[in-house]
Amino acid sequence: MTNSQLTPGVAAGRLGAEDYARNFADIAPRFAPHEARVAADRCYFCHDAPCITACPTSIDIPLFIRQIATGTPEAAARTIFSQNILGGMCARVCPTETLCEGACVRETAEGKPVEIGRLQRYATDTLMEAPSHPFARAAATGKRVAVVGAGPAGLAAAHRLAMKGHDVTIYDARPKAGGLNEYGIASYKAAGGFAQAEVDWLMQIGGIVVEHGKALGRDLTLEGLRAGFDAVFLGMGLAGVNALRAEGEDKDGVANAVDFIAELRQASDLSRLPIGRDVVVIGGGMTAVDAAVQSRLLGAENVTIVYRRGKARMGASEHEQDHATQSGVRIIHNAAPVAVHGNGAVREIEFAYTQDTPEGLKLTSETFRLRADQVFKAIGQTLKGAPDGLAIEGGKIAVTGPGRTSLPGVWAGGDCAAGGEDLTVTAVAEGRDAAEDIHAALVGTGG
Amino acid sequence: MANLASTFVGIKSPNPFWLASAPPTDKEYNVRRAFEAGWGGVVWKTLGSEGPPVVNVNGPRYGVVYGADRRVLGINNIELITDRPLEVNLREIKSVKRDYPDRALVISLMVPCDEDSWKDILKRIEDTGADGVELNFGCPHGMAERGMGSAVGQVPEYIEMVTRWVKKYSRMPCIVKLTPNITDIRRPAEAAKRGGADAVSLINTINSITSVNLDTFAPEPTIDGKGTHGGYCGPAVKPIALNMVAEIARSRETAGIPISGIGGVTTWRDAAEFMALGAGNVQVCTAAMTYGFKIVQEMISGLSQYMDEKGMTSTAELVGRAVPNVTDWQYLNLNYVTKAVIDQDACIKCGRCYAACEDTSHQAITMSADRTFSVKEEECVACNLCLDVCPVEGCITMRELAVGELDQRTGRKVATYANWTTHPNNPAAQAAE
Ligand SMILES: Cc1cc2nc3c(=O)[nH]c(=O)nc-3n(C[C@H](O)[C@H](O)[C@H](O)COP(=O)(O)OP(=O)(O)OC[C@H]3O[C@@H](n4cnc5c(N)ncnc54)[C@H](O)[C@@H]3O)c2cc1C
Ligand SMILES: Cc1cc2nc3c(=O)[nH]c(=O)nc-3n(C[C@H](O)[C@H](O)[C@H](O)COP(=O)(O)O)c2cc1C
Ligand code: SF4
């Protein structure tokens, strides 16, 4: 193709084939065995370790690191998977700088934590390459559980339930399982088709059936599921997106960041994915960073993130913000969009500077415009299609304890449920804990 | 800069760092390069009798113990004495010594345990210009099976006998190299002294199996499916060597005999410790085999800096400085009381001190919900384990209680010096009263 980074408008093939390969390659490849040993040797094996507390799934991190250090990464992986069956994906996508590594005492001591995430990946990758699945099912209970959503929450719940001997049917609206692991996470974090490989690996436990293209509210009702199964787990994530509420939002070239990312994740040939020369991303979270960085990696010349509040309020961690700026993304703080200009398609977007006042965010009279061939909205996802009759709290399904909703026999976890951060690891923890609670309820052992 | 020049049993060298008799000193090429790098002296790789030389195994000779990041902590070897013809070694020794007259060059010897063999070898080395001989009574494998090396070094009578022969047939200074594979190192040292030795050197390697291959079920290094015990050396053996050096330095029978300290010397600090415990100089093998000859430059600069800081102008001022402070347990002050103190600002909250004390010691550290760790003085016996396992240097210290201060644990005031010999719990002490 003859396109380049300077080609005006929205165009595909701005880069050479090897640029795409390099840009979307594994961002933090697996440690070689020696690297892993060296990194593992740095762990102090803390008493009641702070990293364990900081991990939403409470993986026994010092134990698994010691197992790596003593040459048994497979045993390390079992330690990880027994708490977090998506330990492989978490090792790749967890914002470890704010979780386990942020709590590492070596971060306190020398500003350089033990590389827990990469060690976790070393262990999990090693075991996942082994020919057999590390967990076996308990004797069949004859109980059946419906899981809505094959994202991290649903998969973690399903695996735990299957392990306990229950039969699980997962219903997912999309054609592939994995949820945002498959459709949302930045490509370079889960390179090499890892999301599907992980789903396949997890399914080896047996007893789990996935029905694709089945949406709750469209093809299924909660009443139907409650009637047909012994328990229901809702792990449907946040399928809706917030609106910008700026004039001209409906112009061509304005899209949801999550849709752009999903398209990118599913593209079989990135050189055929069109991207603007000038791209503006609106938002301040992980989605905004991922959309902006991947726009740059596709060859956009100028990519700007505009966030309505100050740097400290951004949802994306310091590490992620640095990753964005190092990828050539410019971040503008304290500005909100007021109008999208252009004749049919977006050409410019106009912002007003904001002021964070005690009464809330106020627009000032000072405005500026940015050139834009594409505008990606990353201002938050919302719960969509929650069945009637469920109590809602703060826009999410209200839960108590391990994911119990207001309806008997219905549990919820992950992004769709209230409480916890919207992270893969949190979804796994909530799915797992709900499964344990469902199991206790079904076999009548307390809980 | 401090003057590091050293005189050991009359042998002069520009610094007290010698290479021990081992592969680094097995040939002219190595020794010339060692001298160029700055080594003060060498003990040439052990020579055997005239005739066909020994043969070594043709598979791996070394086993290794690693620390973090594959750092070599210890090596064991199943190598024998030099496997090169005697005439070649003698010719090379002569040529090197001629070109480096200011460096120490000592010849290590090991021949069968009869007078003629020793008489003969001593004659053969006479005109090499070498400064002295070292008798290898230490090699714990291979040669010992043939009645040499540690087979001699483990029998004080043989040591005395051979040393006498050497003094009888040679005017060179004679250093007797001792094996640590023995219960009480003072006995062979005394025997060497009785035989007329000018000095002892120690330690030679320690009998050991470094590891077992769990697939082939054979010790390593493995030769065609079998392994044998070998000699252990390197940083791991230093504590054993230091104790043996100190025992000889402080024993009434052997006090004052010059000692060449060997075993795990890796840095200037190790060397200084050996010297403080009475070694007149040190010999090095594993550190050179691990890092190359260049390490001597750090040893030279480090020891000079230390001596400058301490105001010492010659190594003689350092040698033996710590010997008076090495004593028997029974003379330690039982009224010396210390308590662990945790510096909360330095603490990184890993909790290792807590795990160590709570699980394995005296339950003298508390842990709060916010991970603050504090010492319970009423439980602390001052064992030091918390300090040892703390990853932060200087975070935990031991505070000395002044005489008269209340010890919370015993409820008694700290008294002045008193040791076990007079302690009321000591039956022997009571009997004496
Ligand atoms: C762009 C982006 C990047 C992210 N990056 C990271 C990251 O780097 N690290 C991190 O920890 N987290 C990241 N997150 C957050 C993380 O992906 C989510 O917190 C996590 O996927 C939530 O898991 P879940 O199972 O609750 O929901 P989801 O992963 O959203 O899965 C929900 C599933 O339910 C299905 N579904 C939805 N509605 C219905 C319905 N009505 N009927 C049937 N099925 C339905 C969906 O198809 C989907 O498969 C990112 C999120 C986004 C959007
Ligand atoms: C491979 C090898 C061969 C050795 N050969 C001899 C030898 O021939 N004669 C000898 O007296 N000591 C020999 N030694 C022992 C060393 O001289 C030295 O006493 C011992 O290694 C301890 O010192 P270090 O810890 O600095 O290595 C040998 C050691 C090694 C590692
Ligand atoms: S799951 Fe995430 S937070 Fe927990 S240990 Fe792994 S990388 Fe750290």
Side-chain angles (χ1 to χ4, degrees), chain A residues 34 38 41 44 46-48 105, chain B residues 69 348 350-352 354 371 391:
Chain A
H34 179 66
V38 173
D41 273 328
Y44 285 148
C46 295
H47 174 77
D48 188 9
V105 299
Chain B
D69 202 4
I348 59 170
C350 69
R352 278 166 62 152
Y354 176 81
R371 301 186 72 83

Side-chain angles (χ1 to χ4, degrees), chain B residues 20-21 23 45-46 62 77 136 177 203-204 233-234 262-264 285-286:
Chain B
S21 173
K45 172 76 179 171
T46 306
Y62 307 127
N77 81 86
N136 178 351
K177 185 167 179 180
I203 57 174
N204 207 310
C233 52
I262 319 172
C285 167
T286 305

Side-chain angles (χ1 to χ4, degrees), chain B residues 188-200:
Chain B
E190 288 160 13
K193 192 177 173 191
R194 280 196 303 275
D198 298 284
V200 291

Side-chain angles (χ1 to χ4, degrees), chain A residues 109-277:
Chain A
E110 63 216 69
K112 201 172 171 294
V114 174
E115 290 177 273
I116 298 169
R118 296 191 71 184
L119 283 165
Q120 177 167 320
R121 170 162 178 191
Y122 175 74
T124 51
D125 278 9
T126 305
L127 191 64
M128 286 173 80
E129 281 166 4
S132 64
H133 189 73
F135 298 97
R137 297 188 69 194
T141 60
K143 303 285 184 188
R144 299 174 62 243
V145 182
V147 169
V148 179
L155 290 171
H159 187 273
R160 186 56 63 104
L161 288 164
M163 202 167 90
K164 298 281 185 187
H166 310 295
D167 287 324
V168 182
T169 304
I170 307 182
Y171 297 101
D172 198 289
R174 299 242 204 194
K176 284 189 192 171
L180 290 171
N181 286 357
E182 175 61 35
Y183 293 97
I185 295 293
S187 312
Y188 43 79
K189 290 187 187 171
F194 182 76
Q196 283 314 296
E198 185 176 48
V199 170
D200 294 344
W201 174 83
L202 180 149
M203 290 296 172
Q204 287 175 23
I205 182 111
I208 306 174
V209 185
V210 190
E211 299 216 11
H212 293 290
K214 290 272 169 59
L216 182 66
R218 187 186 69 199
D219 312 300
L220 311 157
T221 63
L222 185 57
E223 291 69 49
L225 293 178
R226 289 177 77 196
F229 290 86
D230 296 296
V232 179
F233 175 79
L234 301 175
M236 52 210 286
L238 300 173
V241 284
N242 287 323
L244 213 49
R245 280 176 300 208
E247 199 184 313
E249 190 178 341
D250 52 355
K251 289 200 193 313
D252 284 354
V254 181
N256 291 318
V258 286
D259 295 337
F260 160 67
I261 292 170
E263 192 184 354
L264 187 154
R265 284 295 307 272
Q266 299 308 310
S268 54
D269 180 359
L270 290 169
S271 72
R272 291 170 52 186
L273 190 65
I275 190 74
R277 177 178 174 177

Side-chain angles (χ1 to χ4, degrees), chain B residues 188-419:
Chain B
E190 288 160 13
K193 192 177 173 191
R194 280 196 303 275
D198 298 284
V200 291
S201 58
L202 69 161
I203 57 174
N204 207 310
T205 55
I206 303 177
N207 243 332
S208 59
I209 290 178
T210 40
S211 56
V212 177
N213 185 309
L214 291 177
D215 296 317
T216 61
F217 296 101
E220 288 179 326
T222 311
I223 303 291
D224 192 24
K226 306 276 185 216
T228 186
H229 58 90
Y232 199 39
C233 52
V237 310
K238 182 185 123 186
I240 296 165
L242 282 179
N243 174 53
M244 290 184 164
V245 165
E247 287 297 289
I248 293 171
R250 75 190 185 94
S251 150
R252 196 173 325 132
E253 284 70 32
T254 49
I257 190 167
I259 302 170
S260 185
I262 319 172
V265 175
T266 309
T267 67
W268 71 266
R269 190 176 285 275
D270 300 324
E273 291 176 32
F274 270 94
M275 292 168 77
L277 283 178
N281 72 3
V282 294
Q283 298 184 30
V284 177
C285 167
T286 305
M289 288 176 68
T290 309
Y291 302 109
F293 291 140
K294 189 177 164 178
I295 53 163
V296 73
Q297 290 163 21
E298 164 268 311
M299 293 182 179
I300 291 170
S301 63
L303 187 63
S304 322
Q305 180 178 327
Y306 168 77
M307 286 172 53
D308 286 346
E309 284 165 9
K310 293 285 172 197
M312 298 177 187
T313 50
S314 89
T315 57
E317 290 174 58
L318 171 60
V319 174
R321 277 287 274 269
V323 176
N325 293 329
V326 185
T327 184
D328 293 340
W329 193 95
Q330 59 180 334
Y331 301 120
L332 296 176
N333 183 2
L334 294 176
N335 287 335
Y336 176 76
V337 183
T338 64
K339 299 286 175 190
V341 180
I342 301 174
D343 176 349
Q344 298 298 343
D345 292 334
C347 176
I348 59 170
K349 303 189 185 301
C350 69
R352 278 166 62 152
C353 58
Y354 176 81
C357 191
E358 187 69 15
D359 287 0
T360 70
S361 297
H362 301 85
Q363 296 75 48
I365 293 180
T366 58
M367 174 178 171
S368 72
D370 71 343
R371 301 186 72 83
T372 301
F373 298 91
S374 335
V375 176
K376 284 191 267 182
E377 289 218 342
E378 64 277 20
E379 301 295 339
C380 176
V381 302
C383 74
N384 212 38
L385 184 64
C386 54
L387 186 160
D388 295 336
V389 301
C390 176
V392 180
E393 203 178 332
C395 174
I396 303 183
T397 48
M398 303 306 292
R399 179 177 75 86
E400 182 180 341
L401 270 57
V403 170
E405 196 175 340
L406 185 71
D407 178 349
Q408 309 271 9
R409 186 176 67 87
T410 58
R412 283 199 292 272
K413 291 198 166 147
V414 174
T416 52
Y417 176 92
N419 64 40

Side-chain angles (χ1 to χ4, degrees), chain A residues 51 54-59 61 64 84 90-91 94 96 99-101 116-117 120 425:
Chain A
C51 54
C55 171
T57 56
S58 308
I59 293 170
I61 296 162
F64 95 65
N84 179 338
C90 286
C94 274
T96 52
L99 300 171
C100 50
E101 294 179 15
I116 298 169
Q120 177 167 320
V425 66

